[in-house]
Amino acid sequence: MSSHSAIIFPDDSVSQLIGAIDSATRSLRIKMFVFTDPALLKAVTAAGHRSVKVQVMLNPARRDGEDENGSTREKLIEAGIEVKDTNPAFGLTHEKSLVVDDEMAFIGSLNWETENLTETRDYVICTSRPHEVGEMISCFDADWHRTAFEPGKHAHLVWCPINGRERIARFIDDAKHTLFVQNQRYQDPIVIERLVRAKERGVKVHVLARPPHTLKKDKLMEGVGGLRIMDDIGVKVHKLKDLKLHGMMLLADGLRAINGSINLAPGSFDDRRELAIETREDEVVERLHRAAHHDWEHSHPLDLTDEGLLSDLEERRDESAKSLVLNSQERGRAEAN
């Protein structure tokens, strides 16, 4: 029997997560970046009412100060559930995880908000492997009590800021034939270098990204720069047509995959609490492979020329395009003369 399984949104239903919460008889540990969905909140509060020990850690606010979890925090406290802000040792906690009865755990890119359940491409991997579940419990308890968490050199899971960059770099380095990468942000120079080297040694690299106008102004230069570097050497860089990309997945050779919360950006690797999981189980990888191919077939190339970027950024009113030193207008005048 497989010890890993995949939930893919919006293809699948939230019922699998709610069913796991409803099945809890002893404990729930929840660590979440954004938690606002009413159905999931109802399931968690119901667990508390039936005397399940529920502990919830919520990221207190985004970097801009926006607190999306305030209402949920109040409702959980009113229901008598233990709630804490996530560990202040990190710039923010972007991890999205659930542990049920110390026996089953869920790791993914999925925020517990209705939009992510219905409108975005997201992934959750469920594991029942004791060593992986135990590692998550150890981290949760350390963050809950504000103590250090160190899984050691042979950590089973992919943690930031502990081993995330190293594990993902090694994953890319080991690819032999194909790499499908889905991520919102391509900004970490080490990861970009590894993807470039993979392409140069003959790996077919397919990158699915979000369009530049979705990047924050202070992340635009490095985000666009990373995409253009890959595009310049022939890496295929696409964006989804009909779905908003939120999932974080690397899929190598149709044999192994990494899924989780980690954006491919320095801040995620160095300053945030993030979590991902690697799986090599055939049924799970095959399902992820089908999803990756479906998304690629329902995508189209990102136009990363100066003209394409100016067009993409046209509706933004923050003059962010100036930071990219685009030359379309100057070149156009030179050609006209």
Side-chain angles (χ1 to χ4, degrees):
M1 183 177 179
S2 175
S3 55
H4 285 170
S5 60
I7 310 173
I8 301 176
F9 290 91
D11 305 26
D12 295 334
S13 163
V14 71
S15 62
Q16 293 182 63
L17 285 173
I18 292 175
I21 295 168
D22 290 346
S23 73
T25 59
R26 300 188 305 279
S27 65
L28 290 173
R29 290 177 173 87
I30 299 165
K31 199 187 301 184
M32 197 57 54
F33 183 58
V34 179
F35 182 2
T36 58
D37 181 71
L40 284 162
L41 178 58
K42 180 179 179 181
V44 171
T45 54
H49 291 154
R50 63 176 186 271
S51 300
V52 174
K53 182 181 180 180
V54 181
Q55 296 170 286
V56 180
M57 275 191 283
L58 298 174
N59 187 67
R62 293 182 184 266
R63 291 188 184 277
D64 62 7
E66 182 182 5
D67 181 7
E68 296 164 281
N69 294 318
S71 176
T72 296
R73 187 180 294 107
E74 291 177 5
K75 290 174 182 177
L76 290 171
I77 292 171
E78 288 173 4
I81 289 171
E82 291 184 274
V83 186
K84 283 189 178 184
D85 286 347
T86 47
N87 193 339
F90 308 101
L92 58 80
T93 290
H94 195 234
E95 176 184 341
K96 305 99 166 28
S97 65
L98 164 68
V99 181
V100 180
D101 287 342
D102 297 349
E103 294 177 351
M104 176 172 55
F106 298 81
I107 300 166
S109 59
L110 181 81
N111 285 310
W112 285 9
E113 57 179 341
T114 307
E115 177 188 7
N116 286 87
L117 302 173
T118 57
E119 299 177 17
T120 65
R121 170 63 78 219
D122 271 293
Y123 302 94
V124 176
I125 302 296
C126 173
T127 177
S128 57
R129 293 181 180 177
H131 49 278
E132 292 173 341
V133 176
E135 203 166 278
M136 291 177 66
I137 292 170
S138 295
C139 182
F140 186 98
D141 291 349
D143 284 349
W144 185 266
H145 295 292
R146 310 319 198 208
T147 58
F149 167 67
E150 179 49 65
K153 293 182 179 179
H154 303 291
H156 300 287
L157 299 173
V158 184
W159 296 100
C160 293
I162 297 169
N163 64 359
R165 183 182 282 112
E166 176 188 355
R167 286 282 299 271
I168 287 176
R170 190 165 69 240
F171 183 95
I172 295 169
D173 288 348
D174 290 342
K176 294 178 173 59
H177 307 292
T178 59
L179 267 172
F180 283 88
V181 188
Q182 296 185 356
N183 208 280
Q184 296 182 86
R185 294 163 57 191
Y186 296 82
Q187 296 165 343
D188 188 75
I190 299 299
V191 172
I192 292 166
E193 175 195 9
R194 290 317 215 280
L195 290 170
V196 166
R197 290 185 177 188
K199 169 64 177 175
E200 290 179 339
R201 69 174 182 269
V203 177
K204 293 181 179 178
V205 182
H206 300 76
V207 165
L208 202 60
R210 292 178 69 173
H213 73 262
T214 65
L215 296 173
K216 294 180 180 178
K217 185 177 180 180
D218 62 341
K219 302 297 182 183
L220 190 62
M221 284 188 292
E222 55 188 341
V224 169
L227 293 175
R228 293 183 102 179
I229 287 169
M230 293 187 287
D231 184 63
D232 283 347
I233 65 159
V235 171
K236 295 180 179 179
V237 182
H238 282 209
K239 62 180 179 179
L240 276 174
K241 288 180 181 177
D242 302 317
L243 280 176
K244 181 180 177 181
L245 178 64
H246 188 257
M248 296 81 166
M249 177 170 69
L250 295 95
L251 178 68
D253 302 324
L255 299 173
R256 52 199 177 90
I258 288 179
N259 292 86
S261 67
I262 304 171
N263 284 310
L264 302 179
S268 295
F269 289 123
D270 300 326
D271 188 47
R272 297 182 175 191
R273 171 68 83 209
E274 304 267 16
L275 174 61
I277 183 170
E278 182 172 347
T279 182
R280 296 173 182 251
E281 296 202 11
D282 292 344
E283 291 182 9
V284 178
V285 174
E286 175 56 31
R287 182 144 196 252
L288 296 172
H289 194 254
R290 289 197 301 270
H293 275 273
H294 174 275
D295 286 351
W296 194 256
E297 290 171 359
H298 293 81
S299 70
H300 52 82
L302 264 178
D303 186 351
L304 294 167
T305 64
D306 285 8
E307 293 83 355
L309 289 169
L310 283 168
S311 177
D312 180 78
L313 296 168
E314 187 175 6
E315 294 184 8
R316 288 176 60 152
R317 310 216 180 262
D318 57 6
E319 297 186 333
S320 56
K322 288 185 178 180
S323 66
L324 300 177
V325 197
L326 302 176
N327 298 311
S328 294
Q329 293 176 349
E330 288 78 6
R331 185 168 58 249
R333 284 194 292 268
E335 290 173 352
N337 293 329

